Amino acid sequence: MANTRVAHFKPTASHVAIIMDGNGRWAVRRGMPRLAGHAKGVERVRDVIKACPDLNVSHLTLYAFSTENWKRSEDEVAGLMRLFRRYIKKESAKLVEAGVNLRFIGNRMRLDRDLQEMMAWVEELTSDNDKLYLTVALDYGGRDEIIRATRRVAAKVAAGELTESQIDEATLSAHMDTGGLPDPDLVLRTSGEVRVSNFLLWQAAYAEYNFLDICWPDFTAEVFADCIRNYNTRERRFGAAVG
Ligand code: IPE
Ligand code: IPE
Ligand code: MG
């Protein structure tokens, strides 16, 4: 029987997704090149990953590069790709040690072949870990992901493996890049912008949002802990009546 009281639970944010925005502005305000802001942002990624276990965050999803970010200058795109390569090379051993299970979501076919290979390598290397499920969105766009998932489902229907009437929310979810992952509970965005910029459009349908006025390079473990505390004061109703 449906019990509305059950719907008003106050859960912990076990899956947090972050739109890490504001690196460029952080750097420019200090008279530094935009890439210096991105490099600083990588340090914050390290801190946030480290803070997850104490905050009971079991799943962390980070927006690193969108399908729209290809519009940036060649220099900035190349610099970001260098940072991704360096991150995988430098952090892989630490990720294993910390029990982090890393996977990427996005349309990786447009990335350089060597980077694609590094991504597959580190995914395989960390695939048995279960302390923290870290998902990095790279060349990721929510609409692009929905299109690719729809194509996968359509191919199965054409092959007779699935009927049209079997397609439901669970089917679509399973065919997303995030298949098997829980939906995010909390989506954070730094930089002061109040928009989702094509991030997890399907998965975050009922997430709680928190838009922060600071830039990503200023996002410390303390700020992260505050965000989790703030989430814990919220009441999630999922459409049920108040009371
Ligand atoms: C976010 O910071 C990082 C990426 C999009 C790769 P930005 O580079 O967007 O920083 P701002 O928004 O220009 O300050
Ligand atoms: C969103 O930030 C993408 C990432 C953080 C990777 P953008 O800076 O690219 O988004 P807009 O341009 O403000 O929408
Ligand atoms: Mg930005």
Side-chain angles (χ1 to χ4, degrees):
M1 279 294 287
N3 177 346
T4 52
R5 260 163 232 208
V6 175
H8 302 171
F9 68 110
K10 287 185 175 160
T12 51
S14 56
H15 186 176
V16 179
I18 309 181
I19 303 171
M20 309 182 291
D21 193 21
N23 294 348
R25 272 165 280 182
W26 183 91
V28 169
R29 275 179 207 148
R30 286 163 178 74
M32 301 191 313
R34 292 177 57 83
L35 269 170
H38 296 313
K40 201 44 138 187
V42 177
E43 293 177 25
R44 297 290 88 81
V45 167
R46 255 180 234 128
D47 298 344
V48 167
I49 290 172
K50 223 156 119 200
C52 282
D54 281 345
L55 298 170
N56 291 322
V57 173
S58 56
H59 292 76
L60 177 70
T61 299
L62 300 174
Y63 204 2
F65 192 88
S66 76
T67 48
E68 287 71 35
N69 287 149
W70 295 109
K71 292 176 197 159
R72 298 189 178 200
S73 73
E74 234 174 89
D75 267 6
E76 184 167 353
V77 171
L80 282 164
M81 297 299 155
R82 256 196 319 276
L83 280 177
F84 300 146
R85 285 186 179 87
R86 197 179 307 158
Y87 181 83
I88 296 173
K89 222 180 271 169
K90 270 183 68 178
E91 303 292 316
S92 55
K94 277 181 234 164
L95 293 174
V96 171
E97 204 180 309
V100 176
N101 185 317
L102 171 59
R103 87 190 232 188
F104 295 92
I105 55 170
N107 187 351
R108 60 180 89 187
M109 293 307 149
R110 290 183 288 215
L111 302 169
D112 285 349
R113 178 52 76 82
D114 72 301
L115 178 55
Q116 286 185 40
E117 283 168 2
M118 290 176 78
M119 288 157 67
W121 171 79
V122 75
E123 282 178 328
E124 173 63 29
L125 185 75
T126 61
S127 62
D128 289 334
N129 298 340
D130 61 3
K131 293 259 185 313
L132 174 69
Y133 288 88
L134 172 65
T135 304
V136 175
L138 220 174
D139 193 12
Y140 175 87
R143 287 186 168 188
D144 178 71
E145 182 192 32
I146 291 168
I147 289 167
R148 288 184 291 102
T150 306
R151 286 186 184 149
R152 288 180 200 126
V153 171
K156 286 194 180 169
V157 173
E161 292 166 28
L162 204 62
T163 65
E164 200 183 311
S165 59
Q166 282 173 326
I167 301 170
D168 56 13
E169 287 193 13
T171 313
L172 234 346
S173 289
H175 288 82
M176 295 283 170
D177 295 347
T178 51
L181 290 173
D183 285 341
D185 299 298
L186 173 64
V187 179
L188 304 174
R189 180 175 189 145
T190 54
S191 89
E193 307 300 346
V194 184
R195 54 177 168 260
V196 298
S197 300
N198 209 3
F199 189 45
L200 300 179
L201 298 181
W202 171 267
Q203 298 87 344
Y206 243 114
E208 296 291 321
Y209 279 85
N210 191 348
F211 297 93
L212 303 159
D213 274 328
I214 56 165
C215 289
W216 176 248
D218 292 324
F219 188 90
T220 58
E222 289 73 38
V223 177
F224 190 29
D226 279 344
C227 293
I228 303 295
R229 274 192 286 274
N230 171 286
Y231 171 88
N232 287 338
T233 65
R234 299 184 186 194
E235 188 179 12
R236 301 183 76 186
R237 299 195 191 112
F238 299 101
V242 187

